[in-house]
Amino acid sequence: GDSVTQMEGPVTLSEEAFLTINCTYTATGYPSLFWYVQYPGEGLQLLLKATKADDKGSNKGFEATYRKETTSFHLEKGSVQVSDSAVYFCALSDGSGYSTLTFGKGTMLLVSP
Amino acid sequence: EAQVTQNPRYLITVTGKKLTVTCSQNMNHEYMSWYRQDPGLGLRQIYYSMNVEVTDKGDVPEGYKVSRKEKRNFPLILESPSPNQTSLYFCATKFTTLPRNEQFFGPGTRLTVL
């Protein structure tokens, strides 16, 4: 079945550092890929998504590119802020409206001033 | 305001005492789903519903029941809760038509079963 693997955390960075959180997936066909963010005490929010190969999703300074050849969807940000501290989840769906989401286990990001 | 609401947000109960966690959405989404989040395990799907009166099991359905009698509501029922159901629960909803297929999550319900 489908699966998502993301790097274990926590990832600890200083403010303004460069961020990469790795995410790879296993799926048949052409899944849609997502990054969700969970701030402390809150539910998950969609951060960005990509629906086909080579698409780049971006939002709030975060970016991720759908790489079918390496089955990856790594999350990057050029300069993190303390307010980016959260748990980040990579997820996929099979691209149909009826499909469910398969999540990675989440990566906690801690940014210090 | 478009939103997914869950009640209660926090609940402490005892083993065997039936409880219901409610989920309601005002976005006219067809699809609704329940997840549980546990440390080191990420989010796992419990049940989902494609539309009214249509429900199906997710990855971890044991010990849970759901119903979908109205489009906007999708309650999660624990008939006889046990300590291993202590967890953080999220309801999520979405349209079933592309391209608007991203899921919207509720704020979560933290359940402790003693």
Side-chain angles (χ1 to χ4, degrees), chain B:
Chain B
E1 179 189 354
Q3 59 182 352
V4 181
T5 57
Q6 293 179 227
N7 282 293
R9 293 288 314 278
Y10 303 91
L11 179 60
I12 300 174
T13 189
V14 296
T15 299
K17 185 176 181 182
K18 181 179 178 180
L19 66 92
T20 299
V21 183
T22 64
C23 173
S24 182
Q25 51 100 359
N26 63 0
M27 294 174 278
N28 203 34
H29 287 167
E30 299 92 359
Y31 178 103
M32 298 185 75
S33 177
W34 278 103
Y35 295 87
R36 60 179 289 174
Q37 182 180 13
D38 301 290
L41 298 177
L43 278 87
R44 295 177 292 168
Q45 191 177 50
I46 303 170
Y47 269 95
Y48 62 97
S49 169
M50 294 294 189
N51 215 323
V52 176
E53 302 291 2
V54 180
T55 63
D56 211 343
K57 296 177 180 178
D59 298 320
V60 288
E62 295 77 19
Y64 304 94
K65 285 176 56 177
V66 293
S67 68
R68 187 89 182 274
K69 299 188 189 308
E70 306 167 278
K71 195 171 188 178
R72 64 180 291 129
N73 296 320
F74 190 46
L76 179 69
I77 303 158
L78 285 71
E79 294 269 4
S80 184
S82 62
N84 65 11
Q85 293 177 298
T86 292
S87 187
L88 180 58
Y89 292 87
F90 289 102
C91 179
T93 76
K94 71 182 178 91
F95 290 111
T96 54
T97 51
L98 298 176
R100 299 181 300 169
N101 65 338
E102 57 261 35
Q103 292 197 23
F104 294 82
F105 284 80
T109 296
R110 186 167 291 282
L111 173 65
T112 301
V113 183
L114 302 175

Side-chain angles (χ1 to χ4, degrees), chain A residues 57-70:
Chain A
S58 62
N59 185 25
K60 298 181 181 180
F62 291 90
E63 293 183 339
T65 302
Y66 188 164
R67 301 286 189 200
K68 189 160 178 65
E69 64 276 13
T70 55

Side-chain angles (χ1 to χ4, degrees), chain A residues 47-107:
Chain A
L47 182 59
L48 53 85
K49 71 173 186 178
T51 58
K52 60 182 188 296
D54 299 325
D55 265 3
K56 177 185 284 188
S58 62
N59 185 25
K60 298 181 181 180
F62 291 90
E63 293 183 339
T65 302
Y66 188 164
R67 301 286 189 200
K68 189 160 178 65
E69 64 276 13
T70 55
T71 62
S72 65
F73 192 55
H74 304 322
L75 182 68
E76 296 181 335
K77 187 176 185 183
S79 176
V80 294
Q81 306 300 311
V82 172
S83 57
D84 293 327
S85 298
V87 180
Y88 293 81
F89 291 91
C90 185
L92 69 81
S93 70
D94 71 7
S96 76
Y98 293 92
S99 65
T100 61
L101 278 173
T102 299
F103 284 93
K105 293 184 178 180
T107 302

